[in-house]
Amino acid sequence: MTNDQVTVENGAEDKTSGLMGTTPRSSNNSCSYLDFLGSLWLLLTMITIARACPKRCHCTERNGAVVQCTSRNLDNIPSNLPKDTVVLLLSSNQITHVPKEAFTDLHQLRDLDLSHNLIESLEVGAFQGISQGLRTLDLSNNHLSSLPKETFTKLQARVRLSNNPWNCECSLQEVLRELRLDPETINEVSCSTSAQDEYVGQPVIQVLDSGINFCNFHQKTTDVAMFVAMFCWFAMVTAYIMYYIRHNQEEARRHLEYLKSLPSSSHISRDYDTASSVF
C-alpha cells in the first residue's frame, strides 16, 4: 500500500468518525431542547392555575383544573374560579344560597360537590352553562325542602339529594321526575314533611312508586280552597242583598209613617172654608 492510499484511508476514517461524533451531540441537544420546552410549558401552566385559583382554595392540574375548597368556611360560591375547572369541591362550608349563573363560565366542569353546606335555596338558572356537560352533582346534607321545577332544566348529571328536609308535595314530585338520582342514595331522599302525615319519614321514591300522586293532593287542596272562597263570596253577596232589602223596607216604613202624620186634604179644605165664612 502506498503512502497516498494510507493518507486517503485515514482521511476517510477521520470524516466518518467526525460524522458519527456529531450525530449524537445533535440528538442530545434536540432532546434537551424539547425537555426545556416541556418544563417551561408545565411551569407556565402551574403559574396560570395559581394566579386564577381562589385565595382560600387549592388548585391542581389534572386534564384541567381541580379546585379544592373543602372546609374553608366559605359562605358563597367563589367568583374567580379557573375557567378550565373540571372538578369543583365546595363541601363542608357555610354556603346557604346558590345564585343564578353561579357556574356559567365553567364550561368544562364535570363534577360539582356542594354537600354538607347550609343551602336552603337554588335559583332558577343556578346551573346554567354547565347542565349539558356536568356528570355528578352532590347536594346531599343541606337544608333544602323544596325546589322550583325549572332549577334542573336540561341537567344530565347524576344527582345526590339525600339527607335534606324535603317537603313532599307536587313541585318536588315534578322535579324528581326530571332528574337522574344517584341509585346509591336514592332511598335517603325522604319526606321530612308532607300534606299527608302517613308519608313523613318514608323515602320519596317508594311513596311515588306505590302510586301516590302529590299533585292530586295539591289539586284537591286547590279545589277546596276555591270552594271555600266561592262560598264566602256567595255568603257576602247574600248578606248584602238582605241588608239592602231590609234597609229599603225600613225606609219605606218611615216614609209611610211620615205621610200618615201629615194632615189630610179634606180636613185642610174644611178649615179653609170656615175661615172664609168668618171673613
Side-chain angles (χ1 to χ4, degrees):
M1 182 181 296
T2 63
N3 291 332
D4 293 337
Q5 290 177 337
V6 173
T7 303
V8 172
E9 289 179 0
N10 289 337
E13 288 178 1
D14 290 340
K15 291 181 180 180
T16 303
S17 61
L19 290 174
M20 294 179 62
T22 302
T23 302
R25 285 198 297 270
S26 177
S27 177
N28 288 336
N29 290 338
S30 178
C31 291
S32 299
Y33 182 69
L34 292 176
D35 290 342
F36 172 75
L37 289 179
S39 300
L40 181 61
W41 178 83
L42 181 60
L43 179 62
L44 290 175
T45 301
M46 294 177 64
I47 292 175
T48 301
I49 292 174
R51 288 178 178 175
C53 192
K55 184 176 180 180
R56 298 189 188 180
C57 303
H58 176 68
C59 300
T60 56
E61 171 68 18
R62 193 175 68 193
N63 295 324
V66 177
V67 184
Q68 168 68 262
C69 303
T70 302
S71 301
R72 302 301 171 95
N73 293 319
L74 299 174
D75 55 10
N76 52 43
I77 309 296
S79 58
N80 57 333
L81 293 165
K83 292 188 177 181
D84 63 339
T85 299
V86 293
V87 178
L88 178 56
L89 306 176
L90 291 165
S91 61
S92 301
N93 283 291
Q94 310 296 320
I95 300 170
T96 60
H97 174 70
V98 181
K100 181 179 180 181
E101 299 181 351
F103 313 100
T104 188
D105 294 328
L106 309 182
H107 302 296
Q108 300 181 43
L109 189 61
R110 297 293 177 267
D111 302 292
L112 175 59
D113 187 356
L114 289 164
S115 64
H116 294 89
N117 276 280
L118 306 174
I119 299 174
E120 297 178 348
S121 61
L122 302 170
E123 283 190 17
V124 174
F127 305 106
Q128 184 175 331
I130 63 171
S131 56
Q132 298 286 351
L134 199 64
R135 296 181 304 186
T136 62
L137 171 61
D138 195 343
L139 289 166
S140 61
N141 295 280
N142 277 285
H143 293 177
L144 293 167
S145 60
S146 63
L147 292 169
K149 181 180 178 181
E150 298 81 9
T151 302
F152 300 110
T153 302
K154 298 181 180 179
L155 189 68
Q156 303 297 322
R158 180 174 292 181
V159 184
R160 290 192 175 193
L161 296 174
S162 56
N163 298 315
N164 280 279
W166 295 111
N167 177 34
C168 290
E169 36 81 33
C170 185
S171 63
L172 179 62
Q173 175 179 316
E174 292 180 341
V175 168
L176 295 182
R177 186 178 298 157
E178 304 295 328
L179 290 181
R180 293 177 56 213
L181 292 178
D182 176 49
E184 296 181 1
T185 60
I186 193 170
N187 289 326
E188 297 173 13
V189 183
S190 303
C191 299
S192 181
T193 57
S194 175
Q196 302 294 320
D197 292 338
E198 61 265 31
Y199 304 124
V200 173
Q202 295 189 30
V204 182
I205 297 301
Q206 291 185 12
V207 174
L208 296 177
D209 287 345
S210 68
I212 300 302
N213 190 333
F214 292 117
C215 293
N216 286 344
F217 297 151
H218 177 74
Q219 184 63 41
K220 290 179 181 178
T221 302
T222 303
D223 292 344
V224 171
M226 291 182 62
F227 175 78
V228 171
M230 291 180 64
F231 177 79
C232 293
W233 178 83
F234 179 76
M236 291 175 61
V237 172
T238 303
Y240 175 78
I241 292 174
M242 293 178 64
Y243 168 79
Y244 181 78
I245 293 174
R246 289 180 179 179
H247 179 74
N248 285 349
Q249 288 178 343
E250 184 66 21
E251 289 293 326
R253 184 183 65 78
R254 290 178 182 178
H255 185 67
L256 182 61
E257 289 179 354
Y258 171 75
L259 292 177
K260 288 180 178 180
S261 66
L262 294 176
S264 63
S265 58
S266 59
H267 180 69
I268 294 174
S269 178
R270 285 197 301 270
D271 290 343
Y272 178 77
D273 293 339
T274 303
S276 297
S277 62
V278 171
F279 290 105

